[in-house]
């Protein structure tokens, strides 16, 4: 049973809380959503829960089946592919535009981040937080750190798929890829860093295909 959390302070916070539960797979793909249960869990009335579920439906995270019920949307590989395309374009362009004299403070922060990642092999939540910090840091090298938040809605569907993928590939593999990207940057091998980054963000496809082979019920049909 999920442990109750502190009551969200506002409608915006309530929406963010429910959205994060979906992305973090605390509310699993295909899971039935009960307004009564969610309201009791979060210490609010059904009305704000209903409004937040409408918002999540508009974002593609909730599905309503008439006469049946409300469910967490299953992972849609097409939306994941679109999100990955956007993320790859933004991140690789960011590295391409980074100046030749890389900001030493940002590089130091990235190195520290990778070092801290190496202590999270068994803590998925901690790794995911540091992973986001690392990629935001790469964008900071070109002065486009705010782009990370600008693509947040697209990233959300990709992030949910990546969480599933982490059940197949331990964080250690991703940590090694982060380290290789950083080493290439520091060594002045920008194009190699970009290629490594491109392969890194595309790896989600292989990971989720392994999950889909075992648990197809978590995914929306692509026909």
């Amino acid at each position: 049973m999920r442990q109750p959390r502190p009551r969200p302070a506002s409608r915006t916070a309530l929406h963010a809380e429910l959205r994060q539960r979906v992305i973090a797979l605390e509310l699993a793909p295909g899971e039935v959503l009960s307004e009564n249960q969610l309201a009791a869990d979060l210490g609010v009335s059904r009305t704000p829960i209903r409004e937040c579920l409408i918002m999540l439906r508009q974002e593609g995270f909730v599905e309503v089946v008439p006469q049946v019920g409300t469910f967490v949307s299953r992972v849609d590989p097409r939306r994941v592919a679109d999100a990955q395309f956007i993320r790859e374009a933004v991140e690789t362009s960011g590295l391409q535009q980074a100046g030749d004299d890389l900001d030493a403070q940002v590089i130091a922060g990235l190195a520290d981040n990778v070092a801290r990642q190496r202590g999270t092999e068994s803590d998925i939540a901690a790794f995911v937080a540091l992973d986001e910090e690392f990629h935001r840091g790469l964008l900071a090298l070109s002065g486009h750190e705010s782009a990370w938040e600008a693509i947040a809605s697209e990233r959300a569907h990709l992030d949910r798929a990546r969480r599933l993928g982490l059940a197949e590939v331990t964080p250690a593999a991703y940590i090694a890829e982060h380290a290789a990207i950083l080493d290439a940057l520091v060594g002045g091998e920008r194009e190699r860093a970009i290629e490594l980054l491109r392969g890194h963000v595309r790896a989600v496809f292989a990971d989720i295909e392994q999950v889909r082979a075992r648990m197809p019920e978590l995914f929306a049909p692509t026909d």
Side-chain angles (χ1 to χ4, degrees):
M1 178 179 293
R2 297 187 184 93
Q3 295 299 313
R5 297 182 182 176
R7 176 176 176 169
S10 67
R11 192 68 50 86
T12 299
L14 178 61
H15 168 257
E17 170 67 19
L18 289 173
R19 188 173 186 271
Q20 182 55 34
R21 289 190 183 195
V22 172
I23 295 170
L25 306 178
E26 294 178 36
L27 294 172
E31 182 174 338
V32 177
L33 294 172
S34 163
E35 289 182 6
N36 288 333
Q37 182 59 51
L38 290 171
D41 186 19
L42 291 163
V44 298
S45 69
R46 289 178 58 189
T47 298
I49 291 292
R50 185 178 303 115
E51 293 171 351
C52 288
L53 291 179
I54 290 172
M55 295 169 66
L56 290 170
R57 182 184 183 187
Q58 293 170 340
E59 294 177 284
F61 292 115
V62 166
E63 178 183 10
V64 177
V65 180
Q67 310 304 318
V68 178
T70 301
F71 305 84
V72 177
S73 294
R74 290 176 291 172
V75 174
D76 186 340
R78 289 167 295 195
R79 296 195 76 151
V80 172
D82 288 344
Q84 187 278 333
F85 175 81
I86 293 169
R87 178 177 173 181
E88 179 181 326
V90 169
E91 292 201 56
T92 55
S93 292
L95 283 191
Q96 193 70 58
Q97 293 178 30
D100 292 331
D101 295 323
L102 300 177
D103 187 309
Q105 185 173 354
V106 174
I107 290 294
L110 287 167
D112 176 68
N113 176 283
V114 171
R116 285 183 288 139
Q117 286 181 42
R118 292 193 173 101
T120 64
E121 285 86 349
S122 60
D123 188 340
I124 299 300
F127 168 73
V128 168
L130 287 169
D131 174 70
E132 291 203 5
E133 181 184 302
F134 178 83
H135 286 276
R136 194 164 53 242
L138 290 179
L139 284 169
L141 289 171
S142 61
H144 293 301
E145 185 175 1
S146 61
W148 186 253
E149 296 307 322
I151 62 171
S153 61
E154 288 80 10
R155 280 195 301 106
H157 289 279
L158 180 60
D159 289 345
R160 190 160 67 131
R162 291 181 68 245
R163 290 267 189 164
L164 286 174
L166 284 168
E168 300 296 322
V169 179
T170 67
Y174 293 123
I175 295 168
E177 291 173 2
H178 289 160
I181 292 166
L182 181 58
D183 286 346
L185 281 173
V186 173
E189 300 178 275
R190 185 195 305 267
E191 292 305 318
R192 173 170 168 73
I194 291 172
E195 285 307 307
L196 288 170
L197 176 61
R198 182 173 287 113
H200 174 68
V201 298
R202 288 182 181 180
V204 64
F205 295 125
D207 297 343
I208 65 173
E209 281 306 313
Q210 293 183 57
V211 179
R212 184 156 61 168
R214 291 192 301 104
M215 296 178 285
E217 68 278 6
L218 299 181
F219 295 83
T222 55
D223 297 333

